[in-house]
Amino acid sequence: MVITIDRLSDEPIYQQIRSQVIQSIASGELEEGARLPSVRSLAGDLGVNYHTVHEAYGVLRDEGYVVMQGRSGAIVAARDLKQVRTKSDVEDERMAEVLLRLALAHKARGGNREDFLEAAARQADLAYGLETPSRASGR
């Protein structure tokens, strides 16, 4: 699993870490039972504060994506469909909030609804493997 940090992003670093771990789980790169790097190791690799990674792992634990096993660290949690639905509801709400914020910013810059929806659809196509990143950037 490779995690990269965009220090120019408005998204907090712990959220960037969280998002990339979830993406790795969703893509199958991290499977159930896989061990995540230790907090200290990942913090050192990324050049971020230990507490930043600790916060990301705590959020992932609270959301049910990982379980903490004492000194053994964080491992990818078993998928519990009941929990996944509950976590899915939380993710859907978060997605709706982010989309609203992005749509309002796009509108404030003079963008129109159709352009926003087209850009969102391209990203959805990428996420679902219907389009490759190189094809998407060529549009």
Side-chain angles (χ1 to χ4, degrees):
M1 170 182 72
V2 176
I3 294 179
T4 56
I5 300 300
D6 179 358
R7 297 189 187 278
L8 300 177
S9 173
D10 290 336
E11 183 179 30
I13 292 173
Y14 82 93
Q15 285 287 356
Q16 292 181 48
I17 294 168
R18 174 200 163 274
S19 297
Q20 291 178 55
V21 169
I22 292 171
Q23 182 178 354
S24 293
I25 293 169
S27 72
E29 181 182 352
L30 285 176
E31 296 180 347
E32 179 181 320
R35 190 168 310 287
L36 274 62
S38 73
V39 171
R40 290 189 193 284
S41 171
L42 186 57
D45 290 347
L46 297 175
V48 300
N49 188 291
Y50 162 90
H51 296 290
T52 301
V53 177
H54 188 266
E55 175 74 11
Y57 280 17
V59 171
L60 288 163
R61 179 202 59 225
D62 293 347
E63 293 176 341
Y65 292 105
V66 301
V67 292
M68 305 306 281
Q69 299 207 322
R71 293 192 159 266
S72 298
I75 65 166
V76 176
R79 294 189 182 187
D80 176 342
L81 292 180
K82 184 176 179 184
Q83 279 189 329
V84 170
R85 268 188 240 109
T86 301
K87 301 307 176 193
S88 177
D89 292 342
V90 171
E91 286 296 311
D92 287 350
E93 288 174 22
R94 183 175 291 134
M95 179 182 63
E97 291 169 8
V98 170
L99 284 169
L100 177 60
R101 190 173 66 241
L102 291 171
L104 289 170
H106 182 75
K107 181 179 178 183
R109 291 189 312 271
N112 62 46
R113 181 178 184 277
E114 292 74 24
D115 289 344
F116 180 82
L117 291 175
E118 183 180 315
R122 267 196 315 273
Q123 296 308 310
D125 287 349
L126 284 171
Y128 287 95
L130 301 174
E131 191 170 309
T132 62
S134 60
R135 283 185 43 210
S137 63
R139 287 188 178 178

